[in-house]
Amino acid sequence: HVVFRMLNFERLSMVTNSFLDIVMDSNNGDSRVVGRTYRDLLRNGSAKDIGVPTPEMVAEDERIFLPPNHLSRRGRSFGSFGRAKLSPDELQSLIGIFKRQKFLLVVGQDVKNTRVRWNHIVDLTKKGEALCDDQLEAVVEQLRSNAEENCHIVLHVNANNKDIVKSTLALAVLRRKLSQSIPTVEELNNIQESQGGDSLRKVVDSYRHRRTADCTDLIEATCKQSHDAFSLFLKVLSVRGWTTPAMGMFGRVSMRAEWPIQK
């Protein structure tokens, strides 16, 4: 099989998710490297401790002649301010959060592409009908999938490949945080039983239609967490045999925007 050491966006997404699987625990932020806390790993950890896939390992499963997995597509991960109709207040908030970065993370449905469809199980919540546990599980899965899809990166006009790598790490962190914030089946069932189907529908709709303004705390935490982990992530890429950021490694990301960056 052919081995590629150059990181295209799909390979970068795969390695990024593997890095996050190893470095952080989804519940409490602890390291999955035995005997090391997340914070200790970032400050003092060795890149050799973090066994993300090597180019040879990725080559075993790479879909060279098939389209990339949905969330690994550049078109899903990068976009414009208009994609989610970002408001002026939301934009100013993001500029404050990412004040020294050459990218922003935006949360909101893609108003330019309405291909996402909800199946009949979620539609049942519109009628206020009681849902069984299996139906609630399907609702939760759809909400989690929706949460991961409805966020994207906006690149600054001066962003380089290193900024693209950092923004991809940040987006992966945010997708996890948004997905993990979705209510559980038990929580939805409690709402349904105590407050009725109309309240359940309102809760589901509130998560379906979340925007940047609804997720400021998650975005702030993402910005800090990804910034803290970025140096270690670059070391891991190098140790595991990947070509580090260089000109042209991702191709051209045409959608760019301009805003003031603090130095």
Side-chain angles (χ1 to χ4, degrees):
H1 54 265
V2 180
V3 176
F4 296 98
R5 298 190 179 277
M6 189 75 73
L7 282 167
N8 64 10
F9 188 70
E10 185 179 18
R11 293 176 207 126
L12 175 63
S13 297
M14 183 187 305
V15 174
T16 299
N17 283 310
S18 175
F19 173 80
L20 293 178
D21 285 341
I22 295 167
V23 168
M24 71 175 61
D25 181 270
S26 59
N27 295 318
N28 56 25
D30 287 343
S31 164
R32 291 187 184 180
V33 178
V34 177
R36 306 295 292 273
T37 66
Y38 170 71
R39 190 169 299 280
D40 174 56
L41 194 63
L42 293 188
R43 289 178 177 176
N44 308 307
S46 169
K48 295 178 181 178
D49 295 335
I50 302 171
V52 303
T54 63
E56 290 78 11
M57 294 165 69
V58 170
E60 294 286 346
D61 301 314
E62 188 156 28
R63 299 151 55 95
I64 297 176
F65 301 110
L66 295 172
N69 293 321
H70 184 56
L71 291 178
S72 296
R73 295 176 182 176
R74 280 190 299 178
R76 293 307 316 156
S77 298
F78 297 94
S80 64
F81 293 140
R83 175 164 145 182
K85 283 193 174 179
L86 194 69
S87 73
D89 287 344
E90 288 175 320
L91 176 56
Q92 288 305 311
S93 175
L94 290 178
I95 290 175
I97 294 171
F98 295 93
K99 55 193 172 201
R100 292 183 178 86
Q101 307 300 328
K102 293 178 184 175
F103 65 90
L104 305 174
L105 298 182
V106 176
V107 175
Q109 289 182 311
D110 184 352
V111 298
K112 295 183 176 181
N113 189 341
T114 57
R115 72 178 184 282
V116 177
R117 295 290 181 266
W118 291 78
N119 69 26
H120 67 282
I121 294 176
V122 171
D123 290 338
L124 286 176
T125 64
K126 296 180 180 180
K127 303 175 184 178
E129 298 177 10
L131 303 185
C132 67
D133 283 353
D134 286 346
Q135 291 173 319
L136 288 174
E137 181 65 40
V139 170
V140 169
E141 287 304 312
Q142 280 188 279
L143 288 174
R144 286 176 178 163
S145 175
N146 186 64
E148 292 184 342
E149 174 153 340
N150 286 349
C151 55
H152 67 275
I153 301 161
V154 178
L155 288 177
H156 191 272
V157 290
N158 295 326
N160 58 27
N161 277 323
K162 193 171 181 180
D163 299 310
I164 292 176
V165 174
K166 190 171 188 179
S167 68
T168 302
L169 176 63
L171 181 65
V173 173
L174 181 59
R175 281 172 169 168
R176 287 169 184 246
K177 289 185 180 297
L178 290 169
S179 177
Q180 291 160 11
S181 69
I182 297 299
T184 64
V185 170
E186 183 179 6
E187 288 169 337
L188 291 182
N189 197 38
N190 287 340
I191 293 170
Q192 179 174 246
E193 291 181 350
S194 62
Q195 302 175 41
D198 286 341
S199 293
L200 175 63
R201 173 180 53 79
K202 290 177 182 177
V203 169
V204 170
D205 284 345
S206 72
Y207 281 95
R208 284 177 62 185
H209 301 298
R210 279 193 298 188
R211 296 181 51 82
T212 296
D214 304 315
C215 307
T216 302
D217 289 348
L218 293 179
I219 295 172
E220 286 180 342
T222 294
C223 181
K224 183 180 187 309
Q225 198 165 25
S226 56
H227 178 73
D228 291 345
F230 185 54
S231 177
L232 179 61
F233 182 54
L234 289 182
K235 292 177 184 176
V236 169
L237 291 179
S238 178
V239 166
R240 298 297 283 177
W242 293 102
T243 302
T244 48
M247 291 298 293
M249 65 189 296
F250 301 111
R252 185 167 174 264
V253 180
S254 58
M255 286 179 286
R256 305 270 182 146
E258 191 164 7
W259 62 86
I261 296 176
Q262 292 188 18
K263 295 183 179 179

